[in-house]
Amino acid sequence: MAEKEVFLTREGYDNLKNELEELKTVTRKEVSERIKVALGYGDLSENAEYDQAKNEQALVEDRILQIENTLRMAKIVEEHEVTTDKVNISTDVTVLEEGEDEPEVFSIVGSAESDPINNKISNESPLGAALLGRRRKDVVEVEAPDGVIRYKIISIKKTPKDEKK
């Protein structure tokens, strides 16, 4: 099975590299030290500290693998490649939902950087996928649990650097 590309902004890529470095050089050692200390408590069958440290170790190793895979499959969307003639990763899209008075602004990001609470939506989300490649004044339809929602694209601009982090 072919692995798919993961789109990242330069900042998103750098953030993941920094997190990976921190996990490998600091967090791994801290967890390893906790395991050594817990082993000193004796009987492992009733050693909650040991169990907790081993669980944390598994989570850290899983996150390391996840980040390594993401970075290996990463396609970096460089700022100079982004245009505002159509919606792409690293663009902010102002849309007006049909029947609403206030527009909303969404930053389109790769799936590894999505943060819906802060209006950073993945290019793979239903709305993100519907907006990708579309132009100003286009109307897109998104299938939602309550039915189809229509959005009109009001404007497209590059996501400012400080908002990508």
Side-chain angles (χ1 to χ4, degrees):
M1 183 169 109
E3 294 183 23
K4 66 178 182 148
E5 283 184 319
V6 177
F7 292 95
L8 292 170
T9 60
R10 170 58 61 191
E11 291 80 9
Y13 182 86
D14 291 343
N15 288 342
L16 284 176
K17 292 234 0 153
N18 291 338
E19 181 183 351
L20 181 62
E21 185 66 22
E22 175 81 8
L23 288 169
K24 285 183 165 183
T25 60
V26 177
T27 309
R28 242 184 197 166
K29 288 178 183 162
E30 289 173 350
V31 172
S32 178
E33 196 56 41
R34 282 199 288 279
I35 290 171
K36 286 179 190 172
V37 169
L39 281 171
Y41 295 151
D43 185 8
L44 296 182
S45 65
E46 296 181 19
N47 190 330
E49 289 87 357
Y50 177 78
D51 290 341
Q52 183 179 9
K54 288 299 281 183
N55 286 338
E56 186 177 352
Q57 182 183 44
L59 291 173
V60 167
E61 294 304 320
D62 185 53
R63 181 65 181 151
I64 288 171
L65 284 174
Q66 181 184 37
I67 293 172
E68 287 175 339
N69 285 334
T70 298
L71 293 175
R72 188 170 37 82
M73 300 308 299
K75 162 73 171 95
I76 299 172
V77 178
E78 299 287 0
E79 189 172 348
H80 69 273
E81 298 172 342
V82 177
T83 64
T84 58
D85 60 329
K86 62 183 177 180
V87 178
N88 202 337
I89 293 173
S90 287
T91 57
D92 284 358
V93 185
T94 302
V95 296
L96 182 62
E97 183 179 335
E98 187 176 81
E100 296 293 324
D101 296 326
E102 292 295 317
E104 296 178 83
V105 179
F106 295 102
S107 296
I108 308 298
V109 297
S111 59
E113 297 176 82
S114 89
D115 182 3
I117 291 173
N118 291 308
N119 284 359
K120 293 181 180 184
I121 61 172
S122 165
N123 62 310
E124 298 176 9
S125 70
L127 178 56
L131 289 170
L132 272 183
R134 303 304 291 269
R135 298 179 186 280
R136 192 174 156 273
K137 297 185 182 179
D138 283 355
V139 175
V140 299
E141 295 184 347
V142 179
E143 192 69 42
D146 292 341
V148 175
I149 301 173
R150 289 175 185 76
Y151 295 91
K152 182 176 183 177
I153 299 173
I154 306 299
S155 68
I156 305 166
K157 65 177 184 161
K158 288 185 180 186
T159 302
K161 261 190 172 186
D162 60 339
E163 289 182 21
K164 291 179 189 173
K165 292 181 181 177

